Amino acid sequence: MEHLLTSVTATPWYYLLITVIATAEGIALVGLAVPGSVLCVSIGAIAAAGHANFMASCLCAAAGAFVGDLISYLLGGRLGPRLVHSFFPQRSRPLLKRAQIFFAAHGGKSLFLARFFGPLRGLVPFVAGSVRFPIRNLIGYSVVAALLWGLSYPGLGYVGIKSWQQLPERLPVEVLLCLGAVVVVALLVWRHLCNKNR
């Protein structure tokens, strides 16, 4: 099993797979069936076990997350506000309604917040596209959210495995810096959003 894992993670296809999974999770409706967050925690654990590059895995997850948001936004814009409901099956419409309320309440910052709330992850960019939210604003929120998501979820898996193994007394400097940066950026973004809401 370990040999198989090593042979898979040693190829570029492994990083492409991470990107595709993270992208799929960010697409409206498709993301509801893809457990991208769980898989992103797993890639951190795989990297911690020495089978893949941690930073490359994080960057692929972040890139996929951003592309997924962009696809959802373009789908929403393409379908337009009148066609949104016809695109969604009946059983998904309550969730779509929640996404619409969430976007109406929080505006652009909902694009950042939804990235960390699974059920709304792909729906909020879709709603943003359907109401013609400016794409430059979407890119700003989505890039920051995707980077934080792409670093924090694999980071959880990495730290969890390292703690479980209790191998080094301290984590590698690059991982600590990475996690520290996530916390600092998250606090700065949260402060900016709170000030903007006043």
Side-chain angles (χ1 to χ4, degrees):
M1 180 66 181
E2 188 170 346
H3 174 70
L4 177 63
L5 190 58
T6 303
S7 63
V8 169
T9 56
T11 67
W13 296 107
Y14 173 72
Y15 298 100
L16 178 62
L17 181 63
I18 291 172
T19 308
V20 169
I21 289 170
T23 299
E25 199 203 21
I27 299 174
L29 289 183
V30 176
L32 297 175
V34 179
S37 296
V38 175
L39 292 169
C40 276
V41 171
S42 299
I43 67 171
I46 289 168
H51 295 296
N53 183 282
F54 176 70
M55 285 309 298
S57 300
C58 289
L59 290 174
C60 288
F66 173 71
V67 172
D69 282 357
L70 197 57
I71 291 172
S72 277
Y73 174 85
L74 294 173
L75 278 173
R78 178 81 174 170
L79 292 172
R82 291 186 211 176
L83 298 176
V84 165
H85 287 285
S86 62
F87 178 74
F88 279 80
Q90 190 71 36
R91 65 176 182 235
S92 298
R93 290 187 190 172
L95 196 55
L96 174 63
K97 186 68 178 170
R98 283 176 64 192
Q100 290 171 320
I101 292 168
F102 192 67
F103 185 80
H106 301 288
K109 70 181 178 183
S110 64
L111 294 160
F112 175 84
L113 299 172
R115 168 54 45 192
F116 300 91
F117 186 63
L120 299 182
R121 188 169 291 135
L123 296 177
V124 170
F126 184 91
V127 171
S130 73
V131 298
R132 305 293 191 263
F133 184 74
I135 192 167
R136 65 181 180 278
N137 293 351
L138 171 117
I139 288 171
Y141 283 108
S142 289
V143 165
V144 175
L147 284 170
L148 285 174
W149 184 83
L151 289 168
S152 59
Y153 277 76
L156 286 172
Y158 191 100
V159 171
I161 289 296
K162 286 296 185 185
S163 300
W164 179 263
Q165 292 173 337
Q166 296 180 345
L167 288 176
E169 299 225 346
R170 60 191 182 91
L171 290 170
V173 175
E174 63 269 15
V175 175
L176 290 173
L177 288 173
C178 178
L179 293 175
V182 168
V183 172
V184 169
V185 173
L187 289 172
L188 289 173
V189 169
W190 186 255
R191 183 181 172 190
H192 171 72
L193 293 175
C194 289
N195 289 340
K196 204 173 177 184
N197 209 28
R198 284 177 185 170

